[in-house]
Amino acid sequence: MTYSSTIVTETNFAIQAKNPETIVVSAVGAVGTGKSSLLNAIAGAHLFATGSSTATTHTVQGEVRPWAFLPGKRYAHLIDTPGLCDSAGQDRHIIAEMVRYFKSLANGVSAFLLVFNINDIRLDGYTQSMLRLFEALLGRHFWDFVVIVFTHVDEENVDALEEHMDAVVDPADGFIAEIRRIHNLPARTFVPSVIFTSTQNVRMSSYAQKHLKEIYNAVVLCETRNSHHRFTCNWFRRIMAIPSEDERSVFITNSIKDAWTSMTSSVCSTQ
Ligand SMILES: Nc1nc2c(ncn2[C@@H]2O[C@H](COP(=O)(O)OP(=O)(O)OP(=O)(O)O)[C@@H](O)[C@H]2O)c(=O)[nH]1
Ligand SMILES: [Mg+2]
């Protein structure tokens, strides 16, 4: 690509970032579940750093690209976030990073891709704390915008993983049913799309491409279910209204403390 065509492309991405038709998806979840790999797979390009060591992603980063492997062309604003790690200090820093990024968003978020590794589907204390933190800080509306994605469902292992996949969707005591129970979410309204995918080798694998298209369809379904209202957060707005960096930091710290102690507060809304 020449220097001038690079500039034209970057200008186009900046324009598409402001376009209300552009899908906005943010990958969130625990450390090392495959968030960055998933967004790379969606873009069909290596945009975000990935790695097997713990905590590869340290900053919130967004890239605008066409959603790959679709018959038509639709742009997506892909927002990668550092994994939460159940450490109050570290998670505070991560949330502050998210705020820094979200303040620049022209439109709200179409869907949160809540990412898990299929090999680790326990809804343990750590995972529960993470989900409670999201709910407490982002509000119960957060759940309306959730698409659940399980990574590491590689084609060659799919038979061996079938039991895990059944355990996720079991209507009585599966992973989704447990989330519903713990967060007191009505079975009638909390019906998130659940996608099992591999993020590996997507250029060559029709298997992975099929699942990435399913994620796209799940995001479109999420948009429809929310009547095309995007997720936004008053909490972010309140933070940005605080003029001094120090006061902002105190406010964020206190909000997270309050969130831990009172998991029922709801501070976000839809646009
Ligand atoms: N086999 C396989 N490996 C995967 C898959 N998705 C991610 N990985 C691997 O899992 C490791 C972690 O992936 P990342 O995408 O960096 O995970 P992350 O959630 O962004 O990690 P943090 O930024 O540290 O929170 C990398 O070695 C990836 O190659 C998958 O679907 N299949
Ligand atoms: Mg990452």
Side-chain angles (χ1 to χ4, degrees), residues 13-14 24 29 36 44 52 77 96 112 145 164 169 206 222 231 236 247:
F13 291 161
V24 183
S36 306
S52 49
H77 189 152
F112 292 96
F145 291 84
H164 288 350
V169 292
S206 56
C222 198
F231 179 93
F236 293 145
E247 281 177 48

Side-chain angles (χ1 to χ4, degrees), residues 31-37 50-52 55-57 83 152 154 198-200:
V31 161
T33 51
K35 299 175 294 302
S36 306
S37 304
T50 62
S52 49
T56 304
T57 304
H152 291 74
D154 299 339
S198 174
T199 69
Q200 307 294 289

Side-chain angles (χ1 to χ4, degrees), residues 11-25:
T11 308
N12 187 29
F13 291 161
I15 291 168
Q16 293 302 336
K18 296 208 171 80
N19 181 350
E21 286 301 310
T22 295
I23 295 174
V24 183
V25 287

